[in-house]
C-alpha cells in the first residue's frame, strides 16, 4: 500500500548525463551572478560612482538582478536534486512558488531598465521638469513597478497556470498558444523592451537635431552623455534577449508545433548565463570601477621589503 502511494506522488524518470552538466553550469553561473552582483552593489554605494538619482536607479536594477539570480539558483538546485534522485513531485509548492517569483523578478529586471532609460530621456528632453527627476518621485515609480510586477504574476499562481514539467524538472507555464503565455510574453518582454527601444531611437534623433542647432556645448555634452547611458541600458536589455534567444524561439515554436522535449533545460541554461554576462557588462559600463578594483587588488598584494646592504669602507 505504501509503495502505491509513493508511485502516485512521485514518478521515477531517466536522468541523462547532460542533465547534470547543465544543472552544475546553471548553479555556478547563478552563484557567480549573486557574488558579483553583491560586490558591484557594495562598490557603487561605497564609492558613490553615480549621482543620487542615478544611484537609486542603478541599485534598483542591481537588486532586481540579484533577486532573479537567487531564484534561478534555487531552480537549478531543485532540478539537480530531482535529477540525482531520478524522481519527480507533481505537487511541490516550493517549485510552484519558485516559478511565480521567477516571473516576478524577470519582469522587475526588465522594467528597472525601462525606468532608467525613461529617466535619462526626461533629463534631456524635459530638463525643466525638476519634479520628475527627484529621488522621491523616482522612488515612488520604483515602488509602483515592484507592486505591479508582483500583482501581474498573481493570476498565474491563483489560477494554477504554473505547473510542474516532469521532463525538465521545473515549474513553468506550458509553452503553447494560450492566453497566459501571450499575457506573460507581452508584459515581461514586449512592453519593457519595446519601450527601451523607443526611448533609444527618440533620444538619438533628438540629440542629432540638437547638434545641428546653435546650442551651447554644455547642453549638447549633457545630452550625448545621457544618450550614451541609454545606449548602455539598451545593450544590457538586448544581451538578455540575444543570449536568452532559445527561450523566445521555443515560445514562438510552441504557437505552431510542440517544442523539443527538454526545451526548458536548454532555455534556462542560456538565461542563467545571460544574467551572469549582464552583471559582468555592468562592471565594464560603470565609471571608475576598474580603477577602484585595481586599487583594492594592489593594496591586497604584499610588497616585499627592500633590504639595502652597506659595505664598510676601510
Amino acid at each position: 500500500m505504501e509503495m502505491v502511494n509513493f508511485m502516485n506522488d512521485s514518478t521515477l524518470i531517466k536522468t541523462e548525463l547532460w542533465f547534470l552538466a547543465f544543472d552544475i553550469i546553471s548553479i555556478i553561473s547563478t552563484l557567480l551572478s549573486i557574488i558579483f552582483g553583491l560586490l558591484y552593489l557594495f562598490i557603487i554605494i561605497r564609492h558613490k560612482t553615480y549621482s543620487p538619482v542615478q544611484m537609486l536607479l542603478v541599485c534598483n536594477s542591481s537588486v532586481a538582478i540579484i533577486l532573479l539570480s537567487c531564484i534561478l539558483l534555487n531552480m537549478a538546485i531543485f532540478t539537480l536534486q530531482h535529477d540525482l534522485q531520478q524522481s519527480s513531485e507533481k505537487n511541490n509548492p516550493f517549485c510552484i512558488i519558485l516559478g511565480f517569483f521567477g516571473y516576478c523578478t524577470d519582469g522587475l529586471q526588465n522594467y528597472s531598465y525601462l525606468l532608467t532609460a525613461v529617466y535619462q530621456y526626461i533629463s534631456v528632453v524635459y530638463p525643466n521638469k525638476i519634479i520628475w527627476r527627484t529621488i522621491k518621485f523616482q522612488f515612488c515609480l520604483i515602488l509602483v513597478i515592484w507592486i505591479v510586477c508582483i500583482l501581474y504574476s498573481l493570476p498565474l499562481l491563483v489560477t494554477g497556470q504554473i505547473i510542474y514539467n516532469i521532463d525538465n524538472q521545473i515549474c513553468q507555464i506550458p509553452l503553447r498558444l494560450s492566453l497566459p503565455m501571450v499575457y506573460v510574453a507581452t508584459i515581461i518582454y514586449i512592453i519593457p523592451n519595446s519601450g527601451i527601444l523607443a526611448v533609444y531611437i527618440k533620444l538619438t534623433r533628438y540629440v542629432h537635431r540638437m547638434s545641428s542647432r546653435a546650442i551651447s556645448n554644455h547642453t549638447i555634452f549633457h545630452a550625448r552623455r545621457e544618450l550614451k547611458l541609454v545606449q548602455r541600458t539598451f545593450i544590457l536589455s538586448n544581451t538578455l534577449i540575444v543570449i536568452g534567444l532559445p527561450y523566445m524561439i521555443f515560445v514562438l515554436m510552441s504557437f505552431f508545433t510542440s517544442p523539443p522535449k527538454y526545451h526548458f533545460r536548454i532555455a534556462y541554461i542560456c538565461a542563467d548565463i545571460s544574467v551572469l554576462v549582464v552583471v559582468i557588462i555592468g562592471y565594464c559600463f560603470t565609471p571608475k570601477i576598474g580603477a577602484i578594483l585595481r586599487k583594492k587588488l594592489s593594496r591586497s598584494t604584499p610588497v616585499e621589503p627592500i633590504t639595502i646592504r652597506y659595505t664598510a669602507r676601510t
Side-chain angles (χ1 to χ4, degrees), residues 11-76:
T11 304
L12 293 176
I13 63 171
K14 182 180 179 181
T15 300
E16 302 287 345
L17 185 61
W18 66 274
F19 291 179
L20 303 179
F22 272 36
D23 295 340
I24 293 172
I25 293 173
S26 294
I27 291 174
I28 293 173
S29 299
T30 51
L31 190 59
L32 289 176
S33 297
I34 295 171
I35 295 172
F36 291 158
L38 289 172
L39 178 62
Y40 177 81
L41 193 61
F42 172 78
I43 291 174
I44 63 173
I45 293 175
R46 175 70 177 79
H47 295 274
K48 296 183 173 72
T49 56
Y50 291 97
S51 64
V53 179
Q54 288 180 333
M55 179 76 73
L56 178 66
L57 296 172
V58 172
C59 287
N60 178 54
S61 298
S62 299
V63 170
I65 203 167
I66 291 170
L67 290 177
L68 176 60
S69 300
C70 290
I71 297 299
L72 294 175
L73 175 61
N74 279 276
M75 285 183 176

Side-chain angles (χ1 to χ4, degrees), residues 9 74-75 78 82 88-102 157 162-164 170-172:
D9 295 336
N74 279 276
M75 285 183 176
F78 178 88
H82 286 72
S88 62
E89 299 177 29
K90 295 182 180 179
N91 298 310
N92 190 306
F94 178 69
C95 178
I96 295 174
I97 291 298
L98 282 179
F100 165 74
F101 280 113
L157 181 65
I162 303 173
I163 63 175
Y164 183 71
I170 196 171
C171 291
Q172 293 283 287

